């Protein structure tokens, strides 16, 4: 009987201690200095604005971007932050602008006459870019699904450009166009909840400088991108 009482006494002392240790192990570690360092991937439809006279868009034009943004919180709740990142972007545009060159290497950039039939006419841009953002979010150290509003600018450089015009018996390809503005600046805005967000981006400087060939009309073209962006921790 004394042995039973002794065992009961030992259990009464050890069980609360074991339960306490179990509770400590199950406690979540809260990171009060968390950052929203995030990878992002976006897809968008491209609209060509500020087109030259008689210029028009045709077919599907789209873009894809991918990158990483470093988060720098600027308030105690960490709901406001500055984000600086690095990424790549690829865009394709269908249109009726002929991009070619003369025999002595001068640019030819002009709308194609409606009387001329062709199979395909597109150009593509590939950029390395640096997004700079002001970020607001409703996140907490324990909440990973939250509302966010991000806005800012993207600074970019077109490291590769190519255009292609196709007729039945003629193909014109260009990768080096003097009128192309390779340094890009765009305004950016995104908002949404959790991973999926809406993004809007508008180029602040035109893709091409100078005038349309044999005309006084500016070439211009400022892409407007509307689509989705996915933020992944």
């Amino acid at each position: 009987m004394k042995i039973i009482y002794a065992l009961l006494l030992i259990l009464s002392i050890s069980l609360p201690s074991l339960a306490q240790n179990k509770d400590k192990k199950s406690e979540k570690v809260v990171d009060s200095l968390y950052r929203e360092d995030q990878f992002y991937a976006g897809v968008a439809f491209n609209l060509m604005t500020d087109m030259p006279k008689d210029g028009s868009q045709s077919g599907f034009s789209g873009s894809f971007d991918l990158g990483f943004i470093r988060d720098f919180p600027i308030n105690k709740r960490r709901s406001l932050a500055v984000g600086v990142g690095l990424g790549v972007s690829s865009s394709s545009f269908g249109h009726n602008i002929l991009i070619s060159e003369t025999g002595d290497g001068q640019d030819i950039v002009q709308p194609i006459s409606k009387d001329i039939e062709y199979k395909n006419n597109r150009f593509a841009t590939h950029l390395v870019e640096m997004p700079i953002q002001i970020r607001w979010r409703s996140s907490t150290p324990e909440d990973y699904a939250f509302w966010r509003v991000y806005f800012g600018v993207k600074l970019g450089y077109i490291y590769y450009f190519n255009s292609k015009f196709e007729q039945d018996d003629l193909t014109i390809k260009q990768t080096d166009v003097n009128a192309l503005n390779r340094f890009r600046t765009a305004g950016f805005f995104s908002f949404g909840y959790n991973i999926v967000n809406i993004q809007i981006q508008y180029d602040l400087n035109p893709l091409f400088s100078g005038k349309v060939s044999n005309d006084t009309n500016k070439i211009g073209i400022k892409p407007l991108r509307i689509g989705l962006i996915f933020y992944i921790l």
Side-chain angles (χ1 to χ4, degrees), residues 78 107 113 146 149 164 184 201:
R78 307 180 84 78
D107 288 343
S113 171
F146 50 85
V149 177
K164 188 175 183 180
R184 312 302 307 143
Q201 180 177 316

Side-chain angles (χ1 to χ4, degrees), residues 90-105:
S90 179
S91 295
S92 177
F93 302 87
H95 53 89
N96 74 332
I97 308 294
L98 176 65
I99 300 175
S100 183
E101 64 181 11
T102 62
D104 57 358

Side-chain angles (χ1 to χ4, degrees), residues 19-229:
Q20 188 176 6
N21 288 336
K22 185 177 180 181
D23 290 340
K24 286 182 179 179
K25 289 180 181 179
S26 63
E27 285 180 359
K28 291 183 179 180
V29 178
V30 176
D31 181 10
S32 61
L33 299 179
Y34 73 96
R35 299 172 184 259
E36 294 298 342
D37 295 342
Q38 295 169 114
F39 292 95
Y40 67 88
V43 291
F45 177 71
N46 295 334
L47 296 171
M48 301 172 71
T49 72
D50 196 27
M51 294 276 282
K53 183 181 178 182
D54 298 326
S56 64
Q57 188 168 347
S58 61
F60 178 80
S61 298
S63 65
F64 173 78
D65 56 305
L66 180 71
F68 176 79
I69 296 181
R70 179 68 169 174
D71 194 73
F72 300 94
I74 57 177
N75 67 337
K76 187 175 181 180
R77 287 187 57 238
R78 307 180 84 78
S79 59
L80 289 175
V82 173
V84 180
L86 187 66
V88 291
S89 176
S90 179
S91 295
S92 177
F93 302 87
H95 53 89
N96 74 332
I97 308 294
L98 176 65
I99 300 175
S100 183
E101 64 181 11
T102 62
D104 57 358
Q106 297 296 314
D107 288 343
I108 297 176
V109 182
Q110 62 186 24
I112 300 171
S113 171
K114 295 180 181 179
D115 300 330
I116 298 176
E117 295 184 358
Y118 56 90
K119 294 193 298 184
N120 182 48
N121 188 43
R122 306 184 67 83
F123 69 77
T125 59
H126 303 271
L127 293 83
V128 58
E129 56 187 15
M130 182 175 69
I132 303 172
Q133 300 176 349
I134 299 296
R135 313 173 111 194
W136 173 88
R137 61 280 182 113
S138 62
S139 62
T140 67
E142 300 91 353
D143 187 9
Y144 298 101
F146 50 85
W147 291 97
R148 54 164 62 84
V149 177
Y150 296 166
F151 64 92
V153 297
K154 282 186 177 181
L155 307 177
Y157 178 77
I158 299 175
Y159 64 86
Y160 181 70
F161 170 89
N162 70 289
S163 68
K164 188 175 183 180
F165 171 83
E166 290 182 290
Q167 282 182 322
D168 291 335
D169 55 352
L170 175 66
T171 298
I172 299 174
K173 295 181 180 180
Q174 290 290 116
T175 58
D176 188 14
V177 181
N178 295 326
L180 179 68
N181 292 320
R182 292 186 178 270
F183 288 97
R184 312 302 307 143
T185 305
F188 176 84
F189 177 77
S190 71
F191 66 95
Y193 181 78
N194 203 359
I195 294 176
V196 182
N197 296 257
I198 294 173
Q199 66 161 326
I200 301 171
Q201 180 177 316
Y202 181 67
D203 281 27
L204 301 178
N205 61 324
L207 268 174
F208 300 95
S209 59
K211 311 279 181 147
V212 172
S213 302
N214 302 320
D215 199 341
T216 59
N217 191 25
K218 291 183 179 179
I219 303 170
I221 304 177
K222 294 182 179 179
L224 170 64
R225 299 173 177 88
I226 302 174
L228 299 176
I229 187 166

